Amino acid sequence: MTDLPTSPLPALLVGLPILMATLSLFFRTRGKALVGLVGCLLTAGLSFIAFAEVTRRGTLIHILGGWDPPLGILLRMDPLAAVFIGMTAAVGAFISLYAWWYFRAQESTGGAFPLFWPLWLFLWAGLNGLFLSNDLFNLFVTIEVIGISAVALAVLSGKVAALFAGLRYLLAAIAGSMAYLFGVALLYGSTGTLDIGLLGQALEPGPATTFALLVITLGLMIKTASFPFHFWLPPAHSSALAPVSALLSALVVKGTFYILLRLWTEVFGVSLTFAAGQLIGLAGAAAVIWGSWQAFMQTNLKLVVAHSSVAQLGYLLMIFPLLVLAPGVTAGSADWLSSAWTAGVYQVMAHAFAKSSFFLSAGIIIMALGHDRIESLRDLATRMPMTVMAMGLAGVSLIGLPPSGGFMAKWMLLKGIFLSGQWWWAPAVLAGSMLAAGYVFRILRLAFAPAAEKQTWRPVPVALQLVALLLALASFLIVFPADYLVQFLESSKIFGSGVETIVEGGGDGNY
Amino acid sequence: METTSILPLLILGSSFIPGILILTLREDQSALRSFLNLFGAVAKVSLVAWVFAGTMRGEEYAFLFRLAPELSFSLRVDQLGLFFASLSSVLWLVTTLYAIGYLEGGKNRRRFFAFFSFCVTAATGIALSGNVITFFIFYEFLTLSTYPLVVHSGTDHAVNAGRTYLWYTIGGGTVLFLGVVGLHVLAGPIYFGQTEMIASLVSEHPTQLTILFFLMLAGLGVKAAIFPLHGWLPISMVAPAPVSALLHAVAVVKAGAFGIIRLVYDVYGIDAAGQMNLLTPLAILAAFTILYGSVQALFQDDFKKRLAFSTVSQLSYIGLGAAIVGVLSTTGAIVHLVHQGIMKITMFFAAGNVAETYGYKKISELNGIGRRMPLTMGAFTIAVFGMIGLPPIAGFISKWYLGLGAVEAGSHWVVLVLLGSSALNAAYFLPILYRAWFCEPDHEAVPRRRTGRLETQVLLLIPVVITGLLSLAAGVFAAMAGSPLSIAREIAERLYLL
Amino acid sequence: MSVLIDIVLAILAVYLALQSLMAPRLSQSVFLFFAFGLALALTWIRLGAVDVGIAEAAIAAGFLGVLLIDALRDFSPAVSEKQEGADGTSADRSTKDTKSRLLPSLALGLGLGLFLLIAVEAIWHTPKGGGLTALSEAMLAESGVEHPVTAVLLNYRGYDTWLEIGVILMGLLAIFVAGGVEVYRKPRVLVRDPLLRQVILFFTPVLFLFGAFLLYYGKSGPGGAFQAAVLWGATGILLHLGGWPVFAVIPRWLRQLLLTLGLGFFLLLGFAFMAGGAALFEYPPAQAGVLILIVEALAALSIATALAAIFAYFNQMKDEPNEIESTT
Amino acid sequence: MEPYQIYGLASAVLFVIGIAGLFAARHFLKKIIATNIMGGGVFLCFVSFAQRDALAFADPVPHAMVITGIVVAVSSAAFALALTRRINQLTGEESFPNDK
């Protein structure tokens, strides 16, 4: 553990955004926004520097307070964390720029919402802290930081619908974190450590471990809005302000997924069973079908996009069954695990870029029209070609058509599904694609139709449209470094050595 | 293996970059837009010709980019691909001219021409793909780039047609995706022409390979409009005439047919496909589609709809030829790619001219149109005779080779299908010619467009004349070196040598 | 005998929790929850966790209880759980409701019962991991404080505590967002009795000093920043109720400074030592004691300010939203 | 019977009561109370393990974690309370309108 290179960067990645958030509190509307934006850009820059540092030197660690685990807390920036931090920085920087113009444009009508900036910086710090943390209890604190700031952002508009949705979101989030913490209590009780690495070595199968796996998985599934705990997500994401919706769907739900992924592979490796994997996969498949179908049935743009998140998060759950093979089954090829991993990472990135672009586009449309009813989107392609292009590209990525990031994710997912011999997941993936095409083109087809009635289109700053388009493009561009990225991720401990424990766990099949 | 070259990329870029640039133009910059378009089209034809010449000299052009482990973006020029690329690029040039004339003064032309360019990019991408995954990428790109063209007019009718089009093509794409991933998992990355991999697996995994073959065939069959997957094609008739030309002759259906040829010959290999008995179902399906499409065409009064069902029928000649083992029938299938393209595009241009000039969309309105538009209808007549299979027009050559191949392979029933289809072709096409040339016009009609001294606008007239003459030339000069037939023959021989 | 006390305490806590959820009147619910908090606090002390006990009593039961009681003003008092269904039409809905809710509640009950069995089985069979008692004791000398809990909170796991101070500040911001505007007004519930006001004035410094004592005592025994913060916060709340609305009076920059001092100083101190090559929140053992005391004091000040601000803000929530007396 | 077994049992019961309350109770305030009861259960579990593993004194790490947890839980609860009060202020609702 201690032979890894130490670096101050992990600590700065958490400290800097909080410092800037604190600083911004001393300013009023304009100043808050300015300090906030500068803070966001600095954090993004720092994240990219840290990413580059990891590619150069490998996994970086920072031993907080100078106390080695198990007594102290370790920050660990391995390739997986670096990828998530880099993604957060890219999406976050774009959304920050969008937010700057978005709130400026609505300043005169009381839509400046300066508290967005400190809350978003806190959220960012929480996310970075989460990706870096190697300590189960510290992870709890970071998900609380994320949870409170995310709900506060969700209710920023102060509209009644947002308040109701926010309260539901908050109650679900508290319940989820409490369930997670219950699991942490049992893990600590049975091993006397909270450090992920040490836990992975010390943990033995038994009722306490199984129960911890159960409550931790359930708690994190609630916070990731996994089926059947997705009820809070569509109202919360659809009623928030555009930049906030983008943040919530692109980044916030990914945080808890990240913990789930880490814990399943690095902590629970030995105690996983085939049945546990199948159950969580089933939830994922159900989310894909149900969420897509719900998205297809909505009449408001933002609700379509929000329900689509439920479906897209379902794909993330579908990689868990692939981590555990059925008893007696040998994989068709050695790289099935790497396929499953890449599928997960790509789905996270593609969804982050595409969904944020979609929500930002929806924000642009609301700004122009004053509402987001789908049947009013006639003539949009003539009025706002850039936005239609952004929605089209983002939609293509959500459907998973080539050569988008979503395609890469689905390709890898299907490959993992076939290689692990679990072909029964394939229909859900394909049905999800078809339904996604359904809801995406339900929006786009009207964009090409001529205007039916007179509608007033208020002007929208071009910068906003540009940001949305760039994010959509990014969901395609992430495909190009795939080869490099897979190698980078494979250099991670989690990618390589986790494999054997998982195979053993699956092979035992003592459920 | 091959030398890396950016020429294949340039061929794609010659239509893709103008498309992007057009998107950034203003709607009213029509001169610049037309320039970009034509420049791209001419550049593409020249580049293809250049590569063609190089390939003849024995040079190889390939471009490879590794996306992920075992997932590479590969462009590689081979003769079959180049054959299709030549067809697309030449017909694109013609269609661009036609479209500029056709859409003059229309709305949303920026969008139209941009996606028009993307569409051809996708078609040439399909032609030049070096492996299955690259083929799939462009196959889906084609779906997406044609959608805005199908719904271009924006009427409810068009939007609904667009929806049908999407359900069929995205569904087909999804099934194809499943097949492609399955194949990838089973056999690793498949480069076209390397059939040893599949051949070595035949004895081990015959069931999986059969399932995957039919999955991919179903995916390709949607675009190739094989019964019962043809439903989108007649409905997409609402699109403007240049788009119909693109769908029926240049890009979409051809992508499907071309894909089937690739699948049979360059992925599975004719030996493996024969060994697993995959071709008989394909042949039967194709034969049925030929007859079914023709019968359906008989009952259509809408001009373009009749042409559309004719496409359904004619296109399956390619599938049929691919499914019969033998150099001659394969030659027939490959050459029909080009022959059907130039004949059908002539017909759609003609139908578009009639509709644009006089507003006639139904066959029952066409009485005496030949006298008013002699050049247009002359070209149309050549195409009709070709479709029926009269010598010395292009269609005759295809049918002749298909028939010879069938006899050679011992599938005599195919000859009956071909004869029956020719009779049906005559039955639904000749009434049009009869009305056009021999019936008196019902009433006086005034052209809706300013036509000058010609029968219609010059930009609408030139393309139809060119493609009409090409249809004739392809048949007349079939025996000469460099004709589509001779090239197709060469390709077929190589496929069987491998 | 001692086991009997444990059993009684456990049953009491469970009973109070159950009752607070089932009580027909909202106010009963809130007071029973308050009692539940106190029962838990007793449990903590019984389990040797005096610090937790003080924190529970002061923050979870005390502060949250006060907020809940304040919130009672908003809601109709006599609503029982049965008639609660949203609005006035609930009476005729209730019969239908019982039927439609029977099956889900049955499923929920069964599921939770099963869950409980698994949970108990798991807790009883949790292997003895040994915890970190020995290790934290061994390192105590280097931590700069004598009380192990304080050592964990401010040294070994100071990072958690720092983030937690951030959570409190963020909670305050979140409450501002939820409430609509960041405004402080004169308190609604004024203490009008002049004698009582004098008593408040007298008690304020006493509370403050007692807080300071707890803070200092935290170095070697139960106590510390959070416990001190609640006492200091209570002085703010008392002053507010006594008619000295602190937040309406002090300048904005000072308010923000008080709120952010704990978080900011904690971090800047960490950064300062980081610049010298140490890890974040790593203090040289010789100065650790003093530094931790300063950090604790400032953190307590910030938390106290936040708690008082939260109360002051809650206290004015029922007021007319337009009546602004001191804007930000 | 060890104390940690008694309190462990109680902690599981409290957690379950909290979940049940979160589902069954309709009033906002009761839902908030329910989440805090869940939290109480979890904290009890921590502290009972700390007492089980005590040497000279009980394990301080769970104690510190519980103190942190309590503060975090109260912050969340206060926020939830602010939301309910605001909702009540704007709409007069005391529970989610679509709760059966």
Side-chain angles (χ1 to χ4, degrees):
Chain A
M1 188 77 39
T2 38
D3 53 335
L4 293 168
T6 307
S7 161
L9 282 167
L12 287 173
L13 279 172
V14 185
L16 180 71
I18 289 197
L19 189 67
M20 294 305 285
T22 316
L23 194 63
S24 78
L25 290 179
F26 288 90
F27 296 88
R28 284 167 201 276
T29 314
R30 278 279 177 95
K32 238 182 208 134
L34 191 64
V35 175
L37 183 69
V38 169
C40 290
L41 296 179
L42 284 177
T43 309
L46 190 68
S47 305
F48 294 134
I49 292 171
F51 183 89
E53 192 76 357
V54 174
T55 58
R56 204 165 57 82
R57 290 171 63 194
T59 302
L60 301 175
I61 58 167
H62 188 94
I63 302 166
L64 286 159
W67 300 101
D68 280 329
L71 199 55
I73 301 170
L74 178 84
L75 296 183
R76 180 185 63 168
M77 187 162 178
D78 63 2
L80 187 68
V83 168
F84 272 76
I85 284 175
M87 177 199 82
T88 305
V91 178
F94 275 122
I95 296 178
S96 304
L97 288 171
Y98 180 95
W100 169 259
W101 279 297
Y102 181 84
F103 292 125
R104 276 291 283 274
Q106 296 177 325
E107 207 174 33
S108 54
T109 50
F113 300 111
L115 277 180
F116 170 83
W117 295 100
L119 286 169
W120 160 217
L121 279 164
F122 268 117
L123 174 61
W124 199 334
L127 285 166
N128 279 350
L130 182 146
F131 297 138
L132 292 167
S133 180
N134 208 36
D135 181 283
L136 288 192
F137 185 75
N138 181 247
L139 280 171
F140 164 76
V141 180
T142 59
I143 58 178
E144 284 296 301
V145 171
I146 294 169
I148 295 184
S149 53
V151 178
L153 285 168
V155 300
L156 203 58
S157 70
K159 300 246 170 63
V160 172
L163 292 169
F164 271 118
L167 183 59
R168 218 180 257 280
Y169 182 7
L170 184 60
L171 289 173
I174 297 174
S177 10
M178 283 307 157
Y180 168 81
L181 195 60
F182 204 3
V184 174
L186 274 113
L187 290 180
Y188 179 79
S190 50
T191 61
T193 180
L194 294 159
D195 182 79
I196 288 182
L198 297 175
L199 258 175
Q201 292 160 20
L203 202 61
E204 276 163 18
T209 309
T210 309
F211 182 71
L213 173 68
L214 176 74
V215 280
I216 285 182
T217 305
L218 286 179
L220 293 176
M221 275 172 78
I222 294 175
K223 299 199 78 149
T224 319
S226 309
F227 188 89
F229 309 112
H230 62 279
F231 57 90
W232 58 265
L233 185 142
H237 284 194
S238 62
S239 62
L241 297 165
V244 176
S245 305
L247 288 175
L248 294 182
S249 59
L251 302 176
V252 172
V253 282
K254 308 294 163 51
T256 37
F257 163 74
Y258 175 87
I259 306 180
L260 203 54
L261 195 60
R262 272 218 186 277
L263 296 190
W264 266 58
T265 49
E266 289 183 84
V267 173
F268 291 113
V270 282
S271 23
L272 290 180
T273 56
F274 180 64
Q278 294 297 303
L279 273 177
I280 196 168
L282 201 63
V288 168
I289 308 283
W290 176 251
S292 303
W293 176 249
Q294 286 295 312
F296 188 67
M297 300 302 287
Q298 301 303 318
T299 51
N300 283 52
L301 180 56
K302 283 188 92 172
L303 275 171
V304 174
V305 188
H307 277 99
S308 139
S309 289
V310 174
Q312 295 285 326
L313 293 169
Y315 287 116
L316 292 179
L317 291 190
M318 288 179 76
I319 76 164
F320 287 96
L322 308 182
L323 302 177
V324 198
L325 290 181
V329 169
T330 44
S333 150
D335 61 353
W336 103 96
L337 254 178
S338 139
S339 293
W341 269 101
T342 320
V345 172
Y346 259 93
Q347 176 65 16
V348 164
M349 290 199 296
H351 180 244
F353 286 108
K355 194 47 70 69
S356 53
S357 167
F358 227 122
F359 265 124
L360 296 184
S361 302
I364 291 167
I365 288 167
I366 291 176
M367 210 187 242
L369 282 179
H371 62 83
D372 67 340
R373 286 190 298 277
I374 289 177
E375 79 265 27
S376 306
L377 297 183
R378 290 173 168 276
D379 206 27
L380 188 68
T382 326
R383 299 280 180 169
M384 295 181 168
M386 256 163 110
T387 300
V388 171
M389 200 72 192
M391 289 203 294
L393 288 175
V396 166
S397 192
L398 291 181
I399 301 169
L401 295 179
S404 64
F407 164 72
M408 187 63 101
K410 293 222 170 75
W411 171 272
M412 289 294 176
L413 184 60
L414 275 179
K415 205 172 147 195
I417 283 171
F418 283 130
L419 283 176
S420 64
Q422 302 183 15
W423 50 267
W424 51 87
W425 300 117
V429 176
L430 298 180
S433 277
M434 288 292 289
L435 284 167
Y439 63 72
V440 167
F441 281 99
R442 236 182 107 236
I443 298 166
L444 288 181
R445 73 192 169 94
L446 281 175
F448 292 103
E453 77 265 42
K454 283 258 187 243
Q455 258 176 347
T456 44
W457 294 77
R458 280 180 291 277
V460 175
V462 180
L464 293 182
Q465 303 193 37
L466 192 67
V467 171
L469 185 60
L470 286 176
L471 273 169
L473 277 177
S475 79
F476 282 72
L477 292 179
I478 52 171
V479 166
F480 290 100
D483 193 25
Y484 167 77
L485 211 59
V486 171
Q487 280 172 18
F488 180 51
L489 284 168
E490 272 174 350
S491 71
S492 162
K493 172 177 160 275
I494 188 169
F495 232 64
S497 68
V499 176
E500 283 140 61
T501 26
I502 293 160
V503 181
E504 278 167 31
D508 292 342
N510 50 357
Y511 204 75
Chain B
M1 33 188 202
E2 289 101 350
T3 46
T4 300
S5 160
I6 60 157
L7 268 173
L9 267 192
L10 281 180
I11 292 178
L12 296 187
S14 63
S15 50
F16 190 70
I17 293 168
I20 296 281
L21 290 178
I22 286 168
L23 273 185
T24 64
L25 294 182
R26 284 197 320 274
E27 186 69 40
D28 55 358
Q29 290 171 304
S30 56
L32 186 54
R33 188 171 54 229
S34 302
F35 170 76
L36 278 173
N37 239 313
L38 288 173
F39 178 81
V42 172
K44 191 182 230 37
V45 173
S46 325
L47 282 166
V48 170
W50 173 279
V51 172
F52 204 103
T55 315
M56 285 291 157
R57 286 197 305 273
E59 282 183 34
E60 295 202 323
Y61 302 92
F63 175 84
L64 192 81
F65 179 79
R66 230 166 85 102
L67 281 174
E70 301 199 347
L71 192 62
S72 299
F73 179 82
S74 153
L75 295 175
R76 221 187 40 172
V77 178
D78 66 355
Q79 281 186 315
L80 180 60
L82 205 52
F83 193 61
F84 182 32
S86 317
L87 169 78
S88 319
S89 52
V90 170
L91 291 190
W92 183 45
L93 178 57
V94 180
T95 317
T96 303
L97 278 179
Y98 187 79
I100 291 172
Y102 188 89
L103 287 174
E104 198 185 282
K107 283 205 311 189
N108 295 326
R109 282 178 295 163
R110 171 176 63 171
R111 189 168 83 212
F112 183 89
F113 282 104
F115 280 97
F116 205 69
S117 308
F118 293 153
C119 192
V120 172
T121 310
T124 34
I126 285 171
L128 300 183
S129 296
N131 60 9
V132 175
I133 179 70
T134 316
F135 178 89
F136 177 69
I137 291 175
F138 284 111
Y139 193 77
E140 293 289 25
F141 182 42
L142 183 61
T143 304
L144 294 172
S145 51
T146 37
Y147 175 74
L149 299 177
V150 172
V151 300
H152 180 71
S153 69
T155 57
D156 283 348
H157 205 51
V159 167
N160 287 336
R163 187 168 54 192
T164 312
Y165 177 68
L166 269 182
W167 276 121
Y168 272 94
T169 48
I170 299 257
T174 309
V175 175
L176 180 64
F177 183 40
L178 190 61
V180 169
V181 179
L183 197 67
H184 205 87
V185 167
L186 203 62
I190 301 276
Y191 285 82
F192 289 134
Q194 297 173 352
T195 50
E196 320 83 60
M197 191 65 217
I198 301 282
S200 69
L201 288 170
V202 170
S203 52
E204 206 181 331
H205 302 287
T207 328
Q208 283 100 319
L209 282 175
T210 309
I211 293 173
L212 291 174
F213 180 84
F214 284 106
L215 279 176
M216 287 187 277
L217 184 65
L220 297 166
V222 170
K223 282 212 172 81
I226 291 179
F227 180 86
L229 308 170
H230 66 282
W232 59 274
L233 191 56
I235 293 172
S236 309
M237 285 298 74
V238 293
V243 176
S244 302
L246 206 63
L247 293 177
H248 286 255
V250 185
V252 178
V253 293
K254 282 298 152 58
F258 178 76
I260 290 175
I261 295 179
R262 280 280 196 217
L263 177 66
V264 173
Y265 292 96
D266 279 339
V267 176
Y268 274 65
I270 197 78
D271 294 334
Q275 227 172 317
M276 285 183 288
N277 228 349
L278 302 174
L279 296 178
T280 321
L282 174 60
I284 292 170
L285 213 55
F288 179 77
T289 312
I290 290 173
L291 296 176
Y292 171 83
S294 302
V295 172
Q296 283 290 317
L298 273 178
F299 301 105
Q300 308 300 328
D301 186 33
D302 189 294
F303 198 2
K304 282 172 85 179
K305 247 192 175 149
R306 188 170 289 192
L307 296 184
F309 276 107
S310 155
T311 306
V312 172
S313 161
Q314 289 284 330
L315 210 65
S316 278
Y317 283 99
I318 302 172
L320 185 62
I324 299 169
V325 182
V327 177
L328 289 177
S329 55
T330 307
T331 308
I334 294 172
V335 82
H336 201 57
L337 271 180
V338 167
H339 287 171
Q340 190 268 351
I342 50 183
M343 293 186 298
K344 193 41 69 68
I345 207 169
T346 312
M347 292 180 156
F348 272 104
F349 284 163
N353 283 359
V354 172
E356 273 304 296
T357 315
Y358 292 101
Y360 299 153
K361 288 182 176 158
K362 291 198 183 328
I363 290 162
S364 48
E365 295 170 334
L366 296 182
N367 289 353
I369 194 77
R371 294 180 207 172
R372 289 179 187 155
M373 307 183 75
L375 285 175
T376 302
M377 290 317 285
F380 182 79
T381 308
I382 294 175
V384 163
F385 286 140
M387 284 285 180
I388 296 170
L390 292 183
I393 303 164
F396 163 73
I397 308 288
S398 319
K399 287 197 184 177
W400 181 251
Y401 270 84
L402 285 174
L404 277 185
V407 173
E408 185 191 62
S411 313
H412 295 283
W413 58 275
V414 171
V415 181
L416 287 179
V417 171
L418 291 175
L419 285 176
S421 154
S422 282
L424 285 166
N425 285 346
Y428 63 77
F429 274 138
L430 290 182
I432 303 177
L433 295 188
Y434 175 76
R435 279 180 190 273
W437 296 114
F438 301 110
C439 288
E440 287 298 319
D442 295 338
H443 45 78
E444 278 301 307
V446 189
R448 300 196 306 181
R449 289 202 172 212
R450 103 196 119 70
T451 55
R453 275 178 293 155
L454 296 167
E455 60 187 61
T456 184
Q457 231 171 319
V458 65
L459 277 180
L460 298 184
L461 197 55
I462 294 173
V464 76
V465 173
I466 292 177
T467 54
L469 289 177
L470 279 179
S471 313
L472 193 58
V476 173
F477 303 111
M480 285 174 64
S483 72
L485 179 67
S486 64
I487 298 167
R489 174 102 199 197
E490 206 176 309
I491 295 169
E493 276 165 0
R494 275 178 64 147
L495 286 175
Y496 280 89
L497 277 178
L498 278 171
Chain C
M1 178 59 207
S2 69
V3 170
L4 207 63
I5 297 177
D6 290 325
I7 291 175
V8 169
L9 256 181
I11 290 177
L12 182 68
V14 169
Y15 174 79
L16 287 171
L18 212 54
Q19 280 305 309
S20 79
L21 287 175
M22 307 222 314
R25 289 171 68 94
L26 210 53
S27 54
Q28 285 175 330
S29 245
V30 168
F31 284 112
L32 281 166
F33 175 68
F34 188 70
F36 164 74
L38 293 180
L40 270 188
L42 279 181
T43 313
W44 305 141
I45 291 165
R46 170 83 194 141
L47 285 168
V50 183
D51 303 76
V52 184
I54 301 176
E56 174 83 35
I59 304 175
F63 181 66
L64 188 58
V66 168
L67 293 188
L68 282 168
I69 291 166
D70 191 62
L72 278 179
R73 292 188 291 133
D74 286 10
F75 300 106
S76 36
V79 180
S80 79
E81 181 70 7
K82 271 189 193 134
Q83 297 166 347
E84 237 173 56
D87 38 48
T89 61
S90 53
D92 48 301
R93 269 173 56 183
S94 59
T95 44
K96 211 167 67 191
D97 278 0
T98 31
K99 265 186 197 164
S100 68
R101 297 191 84 184
L102 190 63
L103 209 63
S105 3
L106 210 66
L108 183 69
L110 275 175
L112 287 179
L114 192 67
F115 179 86
L116 184 62
L117 284 179
I118 304 173
V120 172
E121 156 88 5
I123 293 173
W124 281 17
H125 293 99
T126 303
K128 280 203 173 192
L132 293 168
T133 324
L135 194 59
S136 56
E137 198 175 353
M139 296 292 171
L140 205 55
E142 287 178 49
S143 72
V145 291
E146 291 115 61
H147 185 51
V149 177
T150 311
V152 176
L153 272 176
L154 283 135
N155 208 333
Y156 308 146
R157 303 182 64 93
Y159 175 61
D160 274 347
T161 309
W162 170 68
L163 276 177
E164 178 198 351
I165 298 170
V167 169
I168 297 172
L169 178 60
M170 223 169 52
L172 180 70
L173 294 181
I175 288 167
F176 288 155
V177 168
V181 277
E182 187 191 347
V183 183
Y184 296 97
R185 278 173 237 116
K186 286 220 176 71
R188 184 181 171 82
V189 190
L190 269 178
V191 179
R192 301 211 182 276
D193 187 343
L195 186 65
L196 209 51
R197 290 176 69 155
Q198 288 308 311
V199 171
I200 287 173
L201 263 190
F202 171 74
F203 265 108
T204 318
V206 173
L207 273 177
F208 190 84
L209 282 177
F210 187 53
F213 166 73
L214 264 186
L215 183 78
Y216 183 74
Y217 188 66
K219 202 177 164 185
S220 52
F226 293 108
Q227 292 83 349
V230 179
L231 285 179
W232 288 355
T235 54
I237 293 172
L238 277 179
L239 280 174
H240 187 80
L241 286 176
W244 297 278
V246 189
F247 292 102
V249 178
I250 61 172
R252 184 175 179 278
W253 65 266
L254 183 58
R255 200 164 68 218
Q256 306 293 37
L257 190 68
L258 282 174
L259 281 172
T260 55
L261 205 54
L263 189 68
F265 180 77
F266 205 153
L267 180 65
L268 288 175
L269 190 67
F271 277 176
F273 281 106
M274 251 170 95
L280 187 64
F281 305 132
E282 180 178 0
Y283 311 121
Q287 287 101 48
V290 182
L291 291 174
I292 284 176
L293 197 63
I294 299 173
V295 167
E296 274 200 292
L298 294 177
L301 200 58
S302 283
I303 297 170
T305 316
L307 294 183
I310 289 173
F311 178 81
Y313 196 71
F314 264 76
N315 195 246
Q316 70 193 13
M317 270 193 84
K318 192 74 179 174
D319 301 354
E320 296 300 311
N322 293 333
E323 170 203 335
I324 295 170
E325 281 158 33
S326 157
T327 60
T328 48
Chain D
M1 217 179 196
E2 299 277 322
Y4 93 88
Q5 286 179 321
I6 298 168
Y7 290 116
L9 177 67
S11 78
V13 172
L14 285 177
F15 189 80
V16 167
I17 290 175
I19 298 178
L22 199 55
F23 276 102
R26 282 181 241 165
H27 199 282
F28 290 143
L29 243 49
K30 287 196 174 175
K31 280 191 193 279
I32 294 172
I33 288 175
T35 59
N36 277 280
I37 290 172
M38 273 176 87
V42 175
F43 300 147
L44 191 52
C45 185
F46 265 112
V47 177
S48 58
F49 281 137
Q51 192 265 348
R52 183 193 67 173
D53 296 339
L55 298 171
F57 47 81
D59 190 350
V61 176
H63 290 186
M65 289 195 286
V66 170
I67 292 178
T68 307
I70 287 175
V71 174
V72 168
V74 169
S75 298
S76 309
F79 180 27
L81 208 51
L83 280 173
T84 60
R85 295 189 68 173
R86 180 70 175 166
I87 289 172
N88 182 263
Q89 195 180 7
L90 292 174
T91 65
E93 295 282 356
E94 301 187 358
S95 61
F96 288 112
N98 50 351
D99 262 15
K100 286 142 279 171

